[in-house]
Amino acid sequence: FPKGSVPEEPAKYLDLILYSREQLDKEAQAMGQEASKQTAPWGIISVKAQAECYETPMQPITIMRNALISEGGSGVDIDRETYLKSVQYWKERAVIS
């Protein structure tokens, strides 16, 4: 969407996306990187600002990227129903950054 063509609305909620230490190490290994020396059991990988008070569907491109662990994804297979719900949700919304 062109800037200014979508009404801007302040975020009401933050959705924190966490990965377990095991998942973070798995992804680092898949990308040929050394595992982190961090010992915290969880790592914050994303902070999503949003208007809804519930977990919104992941963006379709993120679902596809997550399937590619060698590209930094989580290695989770694409679930067709989840993907189609994501497309339905996001075709009427835009991320403003």
Side-chain angles (χ1 to χ4, degrees), residues 9 14 18 22 35 54 75 81:
E9 179 180 323
L14 294 177
L18 306 175
E22 179 183 36
Y54 55 87
E81 184 177 335

Side-chain angles (χ1 to χ4, degrees), residues 74-94:
S74 57
V76 174
D77 290 336
I78 294 175
D79 176 271
R80 182 173 173 77
E81 184 177 335
T82 300
Y83 179 80
L84 293 174
K85 285 180 182 177
S86 170
V87 170
Q88 185 66 31
Y89 179 87
W90 284 104
K91 76 179 187 177
E92 297 180 12
R93 291 167 173 82

Side-chain angles (χ1 to χ4, degrees), residues 3 5-6 9 11-12 16 32 36 39 46 54 56 59-60 65-66 69-70 84-89 91 95 97:
K3 185 175 176 122
S5 68
V6 177
E9 179 180 323
K12 296 177 183 167
L16 302 177
S36 173
T39 59
S46 180
Y54 55 87
T56 60
Q59 291 185 27
R65 231 183 2 247
N66 274 354
I69 192 162
S70 63
L84 293 174
K85 285 180 182 177
S86 170
V87 170
Q88 185 66 31
Y89 179 87
K91 76 179 187 177
V95 174
S97 55

Side-chain angles (χ1 to χ4, degrees), residues 31-77:
M31 295 186 66
Q33 299 172 352
E34 227 178 271
S36 173
K37 292 179 176 35
Q38 297 292 323
T39 59
W42 299 93
I44 298 173
I45 61 143
S46 180
V47 179
K48 294 185 337 186
Q50 59 188 51
E52 296 86 353
C53 66
Y54 55 87
E55 184 177 0
T56 60
M58 198 179 297
Q59 291 185 27
I61 188 64
T62 304
I63 292 172
M64 290 190 294
R65 231 183 2 247
N66 274 354
L68 304 171
I69 192 162
S70 63
E71 299 298 322
S74 57
V76 174
D77 290 336

